């Protein structure tokens, strides 16, 4: 069976995520404990207990990546020979894909995404940033409305191409609010502000992107297995490509829908690690099955399918 590994991004966090992997997988438990020591973050508290840190970007990002990596090591513990044809992630999830495919060490990935979250929050703390989901419009209509807004000196940009009829736009919150009716008048079923204090994947993160690139230069391996870029929806496998594409990643839209469509014919199914957000999107994009591993029981069920 030809498989693709997929990894969720920010917004998939929940208190209690990863606990089933921690309690049932020796490797997942060791990974969390090593991560806490290495990153100087109490991940057991952050993931499993009520706290106000989990929704702060600098903690959200390593927490989500750690949850995905715990799901991955728990699966590989049970099925060591399992390999993917390629891996991809949605936004932050691209870093989980890079770690699993040998581009980054697991613990360094957590430190890197901790910094990524901090850099993003730092950039957006200087402005009133936000994101808005737009449902029911063709890509071209959303893009043309964003272009119109930009001509009026408003900061509104297409940020996430999730599936047909679902695009997230990013920019300055007052500008997004002022254009809510513009999207609805064009036929959007919904134009709703998201509970986000950052504006991901748009030019407002230029400084964060540059700072992240400095960190990536130090940590990326020269070569690795196939990862699909959010920035151009194509496969890359080396550090030189990665530096260019990941520099673009924070300031360019996430081409998730395009990535799935470009490569779905090469695989039989997708495995999502740590959440089921992408499974929901994939149902609207592809006819290929997506198996979501959100707890240890999901691993048992998946292994029955592929035996």
């Amino acid at each position: 069976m030809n498989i693709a590994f997929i990894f969720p991004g920010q917004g998939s966090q929940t208190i209690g995520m990863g606990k089933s992997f921690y309690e049932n997988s020796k490797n997942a438990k060791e990974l969390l404990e090593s991560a806490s020591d290495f990153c100087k973050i109490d991940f057991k508290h952050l993931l499993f207990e009520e706290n106000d840190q989990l929704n702060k970007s600098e903690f959200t990002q390593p927490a989500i990546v750690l949850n995905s990596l715990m799901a991955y090591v728990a699966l590989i513990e049970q099925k060591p020979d399992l390999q993917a044809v390629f891996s991809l992630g949605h936004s932050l999830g691209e870093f989980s894909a890079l770690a699993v495919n040998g581009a980054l060490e697991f613990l360094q990935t957590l430190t890197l995404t901790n910094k990524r979250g901090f850099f993003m929050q730092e950039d957006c703390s200087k402005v009133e940033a936000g994101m808005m989901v737009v449902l029911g419009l063709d890509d071209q209509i959303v893009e043309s409305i964003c272009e119109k807004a930009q001509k009026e000196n408003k900061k509104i940009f297409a940020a996430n191409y999730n599936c047909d009829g679902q695009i997230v736009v990013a920019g300055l919150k007052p500008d997004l609010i002022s254009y809510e009716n513009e999207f609805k008048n064009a036929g959007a079923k919904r134009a709703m502000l998201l509970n986000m204090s950052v504006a991901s994947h748009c030019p407002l993160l230029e400084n964060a992107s540059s700072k992240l690139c400095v960190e990536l230069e130090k940590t990326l391996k020269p070569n690795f297995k196939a990862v699909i870029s959010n920035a151009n929806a194509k496969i890359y496998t080396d550090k030189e490509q990665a530096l260019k594409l990941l520099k673009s990643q924070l300031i360019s839209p996430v081409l998730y829908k395009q990535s799935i469509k470009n490569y779905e014919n090469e695989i039989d199914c997708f495995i999502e690690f740590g959440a089921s957000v992408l499974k929901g999107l994939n149902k609207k994009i592809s006819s290929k099955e997506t198996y979501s591993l959100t707890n240890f029981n999901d691993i048992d069920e998946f292994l029955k399918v592929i035996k």
Side-chain angles (χ1 to χ4, degrees):
M1 184 181 281
N2 291 328
I3 294 168
F5 294 161
I6 59 175
F7 299 90
Q10 203 159 339
S12 62
Q13 69 272 16
T14 56
I15 297 290
M17 65 180 182
K19 193 169 187 182
S20 177
F21 304 124
Y22 178 84
E23 291 176 343
N24 293 282
S25 162
K26 173 176 168 285
N27 291 349
K29 183 176 183 178
E30 286 178 358
L31 177 59
L32 182 142
E33 290 172 353
S34 298
S36 294
D37 290 340
F38 188 83
C39 300
K40 303 295 184 279
I41 295 171
D42 184 350
F43 280 110
K44 200 171 174 183
H45 172 70
L46 183 64
L47 269 65
F48 306 156
E49 299 168 16
E50 288 293 335
N51 65 87
D52 59 3
Q53 299 286 85
L54 187 59
N55 290 319
K56 293 179 181 175
S57 196
E58 65 189 281
F59 296 107
T60 310
Q61 295 198 20
I64 289 169
V65 171
L66 176 58
N67 181 44
S68 288
L69 296 181
M70 287 168 68
Y72 171 77
V73 298
L75 174 61
I76 298 304
E77 192 176 323
Q78 301 292 314
K79 183 80 173 164
D81 60 339
L82 190 68
Q83 294 194 19
V85 176
F86 58 81
S87 296
L88 74 149
H90 188 291
S91 184
L92 169 68
E94 188 166 348
F95 289 85
S96 302
L98 285 160
V100 161
N101 279 24
L104 295 164
E105 297 288 349
F106 280 18
L107 298 181
Q108 285 181 328
T109 308
L110 299 173
T111 299
L112 189 67
T113 52
N114 174 227
K115 289 178 180 177
R116 181 180 185 267
F118 177 78
F119 295 153
M120 290 169 67
Q121 199 68 59
E122 192 177 41
D123 267 9
C124 291
S125 66
K126 300 164 190 168
V127 294
E128 199 178 350
M131 301 185 80
M132 174 182 279
V133 63
V134 179
L135 302 178
L137 289 181
D138 290 341
D139 296 353
Q140 294 81 359
I141 295 173
V142 175
E143 289 162 356
S144 66
I145 293 171
C146 289
E147 286 169 14
K148 176 175 181 277
Q150 289 159 29
K151 285 175 184 171
E152 296 173 2
N153 292 319
K154 293 186 183 289
K155 306 286 188 189
I156 302 178
F157 309 90
N160 298 340
Y161 291 82
N162 288 339
C163 60
D164 288 341
Q166 185 185 130
I167 294 183
V168 175
V169 294
L172 296 179
K173 196 174 284 186
D175 293 349
L176 293 170
I177 292 168
S178 75
Y179 255 68
E180 187 177 334
N181 284 333
E182 193 84 28
F183 289 115
K184 288 179 178 174
N185 291 340
K189 293 176 185 173
R190 203 166 187 189
M192 182 181 71
L193 273 177
L194 299 173
N195 184 23
M196 301 280 286
S197 58
V198 295
S200 302
H201 307 291
C202 78
L204 294 179
L205 293 181
E206 194 77 54
N207 288 335
S209 178
S210 296
K211 289 176 186 173
L212 184 64
C213 241
V214 173
E215 301 299 325
L216 284 164
E217 177 67 57
K218 302 173 197 169
T219 51
L220 278 165
K221 302 285 184 64
N223 298 286
F224 43 88
K225 295 175 188 173
V227 175
I228 298 177
S229 166
N230 282 180
N232 68 4
K234 294 177 182 176
I235 281 174
Y236 64 105
T237 58
D238 64 57
K239 180 175 180 176
E240 186 180 355
Q241 293 173 295
L243 285 170
K244 289 176 186 172
L245 292 166
L246 294 170
K247 182 168 173 49
S248 299
Q249 201 237 31
L250 267 186
I251 55 175
S252 305
V254 171
L255 304 180
Y256 181 77
K257 170 181 76 173
Q258 295 88 333
S259 298
I260 297 293
K261 287 182 175 179
N262 282 355
Y263 293 97
E264 63 175 332
N265 291 335
E266 295 184 16
I267 53 105
D268 301 306
C269 70
F270 300 91
I271 306 176
E272 179 180 7
F273 291 91
S276 57
V277 177
L278 301 182
K279 180 176 182 174
L281 294 182
N282 282 6
K283 281 181 180 176
K284 299 172 184 175
I285 304 169
S286 173
S287 60
K288 301 293 171 72
E289 188 70 43
T290 299
Y291 298 94
S292 292
L293 309 183
T294 61
N295 58 58
F296 199 78
N297 288 339
D298 291 340
I299 292 176
D300 288 339
E301 292 303 313
F302 173 69
L303 291 176
K304 289 174 190 173
V305 170
I306 63 165
K307 274 181 179 174

